[in-house]
Amino acid sequence: MSENSQFRFGAATGVGSMPGGDAREAVKTATGTFEDFPFLPELPARGPGADMIGRTAGMLVELYARVEPSGWRLGDRPGRDTKRARSWLRQDLDALEEFTQEYAGQLKVQVVGPWTLAANLELRNGEAALSDPGACRDLAASLAEGLRLHLAEVQRRVPGAQLVLQLDEPSLTAVLRGQVKTASGYRTHRAPDRQIVEATLRELVVVHAGGPVVVHSCAPDVPFALLRRAGAAAVSFDFSLLTERDDEVIGEAVEGGTRLFTGVVPSAEGPLSDPAGSVMGVRTLWRRLGLSPGLLAEAVTLTPACGLAGASPGYARAALAHCARAARSLADNPE
């Protein structure tokens, strides 16, 4: 088994984003629903700086970003957008500290990974940072330093927490395939060398050397093998996007000790099945792979398919609670 198997994860948690703008209410839901594996919610409805790119851009060290009509663009100095992003993050951490008094256990925090950041942050010329290898290196180094500071701050506020870092990489597959469009929209940026992609991710993973790192993508064709080689202890994905051609990499991941954060509860509003029905596909996959049902609890954490920012507050609460119930169903009846 891989060294990743040393980490023990909770049975269910959230992905990251939540609807609305009330940090206290969101944190109360996240900590109350997942008593052994809460997460720090993100609330993009508050506006620029609370969105995933702006929030992470606000963590960068000696790099600053501002909002332009085309999106987030790197600039020379911290402006009101950077200050707003940092202010909202402080509010979120204040709420987290309030609702985790004397908490001891796993706590998940999310930031955008280096390649999705490079695909979505613009340089001064309007092109994505992805277009410039030097800019990609600088961005990754700045993110690594910002992550160290952020993780230290969360640990200071919740001293009993065992921090789990989630790197959000929804653009990673597009980056690897050379599918990220240029500013004109008529061309695409060349795909970086896969070894460079892997090495850059590894540099971010080792920032959290004392704890596990999850890489999340709700896009199709998640590069499981690359993420495992980069040191990810777990991979988070939309379970509905798996096909049978993914069976081999999934089986290798499980046998190698990599945790599967399976997004089985729809993030889009709609009726929810019974908890047992939500994990039926996971049981079917396990039988198809010939894996022992007893491994399920050691290998799977249940989540929504993706973030819940686009859902109503009521559905978001119901979806998270459904994940917790489905996890109990899977543990009680793995077969």
Side-chain angles (χ1 to χ4, degrees):
M1 296 288 280
S2 156
E3 64 178 12
N4 289 336
S5 60
Q6 68 179 292
F7 300 119
R8 293 291 177 262
F9 295 93
T13 191
V15 171
S17 69
M18 293 282 284
D22 188 332
R24 293 184 73 258
E25 185 61 32
V27 170
K28 182 180 179 181
T29 298
T31 55
T33 305
F34 305 111
E35 295 182 356
D36 62 345
F37 199 3
F39 65 101
L40 175 63
E42 302 161 0
L43 302 173
R46 292 180 295 193
D51 60 295
M52 60 184 289
I53 299 299
R55 183 182 181 91
T56 300
M59 298 180 191
L60 297 176
V61 174
E62 296 184 359
L63 286 179
Y64 311 103
R66 65 179 185 275
V67 178
E68 297 286 344
S70 54
W72 283 90
R73 182 173 297 181
L74 292 169
D76 295 323
R77 59 184 64 84
R80 63 182 181 181
D81 297 319
T82 296
K83 293 174 183 176
R84 185 189 301 119
R86 292 175 177 175
S87 174
W88 274 328
L89 180 57
R90 283 194 298 272
Q91 290 179 25
D92 295 343
L93 292 175
D94 288 344
L96 180 70
E97 186 174 5
E98 177 184 352
F99 286 99
T100 53
Q101 293 294 313
E102 299 182 5
Y103 175 73
Q106 290 192 318
L107 170 65
K108 184 166 70 69
V109 296
Q110 308 82 220
V111 302
V112 176
W115 293 106
T116 294
L117 204 59
N120 289 275
L121 269 181
E122 298 175 357
L123 302 174
R124 292 173 180 82
N125 63 4
E127 290 293 353
L130 184 64
S131 65
D132 183 335
C136 289
R137 288 192 296 271
D138 291 345
L139 192 56
S142 176
L143 176 60
E145 187 57 34
L147 261 181
R148 290 187 185 94
L149 296 173
H150 177 57
L151 291 169
E153 176 66 8
V154 177
Q155 194 73 75
R156 184 186 69 79
R157 288 172 177 262
V158 193
Q162 301 156 15
L163 297 183
V164 177
L165 172 63
Q166 177 177 302
L167 296 175
D168 289 324
E169 283 284 14
S171 299
L172 181 58
T173 299
V175 168
L176 289 168
R177 292 181 173 177
Q179 295 174 336
V180 177
K181 291 186 176 181
T182 60
S184 69
Y186 296 119
R187 296 185 300 109
T188 56
H189 293 291
R190 180 180 299 177
D193 185 281
R194 293 180 74 93
Q195 290 184 334
I196 293 176
V197 172
E198 181 182 322
T200 302
L201 285 167
R202 189 179 299 113
E203 290 168 6
L204 270 295
V205 168
V206 299
V207 168
H208 190 39
V213 175
V214 184
V215 180
H216 167 74
S217 174
C218 49
D221 299 319
V222 176
F224 284 90
L226 183 150
L227 297 177
R228 291 178 58 224
R229 290 194 303 270
V235 179
S236 172
F237 57 96
D238 181 344
F239 187 79
S240 70
L241 298 178
L242 287 185
T243 66
E244 289 194 18
R245 70 173 183 269
D246 296 308
D247 282 4
E248 183 176 351
V249 293
I250 293 291
E252 289 174 353
V254 173
E255 290 175 353
T258 302
R259 186 81 171 191
L260 304 179
F261 279 45
T262 54
V264 296
V265 176
S267 51
E269 196 110 9
L272 293 169
S273 67
D274 64 285
S278 292
V279 294
M280 185 181 303
V282 179
R283 293 191 181 102
T284 300
L285 171 65
W286 233 244
R287 287 194 293 270
R288 197 164 68 232
L289 295 177
L291 295 170
S292 166
L295 275 177
L296 274 169
E298 298 177 21
V300 172
T301 292
L302 299 184
T303 72
C306 203
L308 294 165
S312 69
Y315 179 80
R317 289 191 295 270
L320 295 182
H322 194 82
C323 287
R325 288 194 295 270
R328 286 194 291 272
S329 172
L330 194 63
D332 292 344
N333 184 19
E335 300 188 59

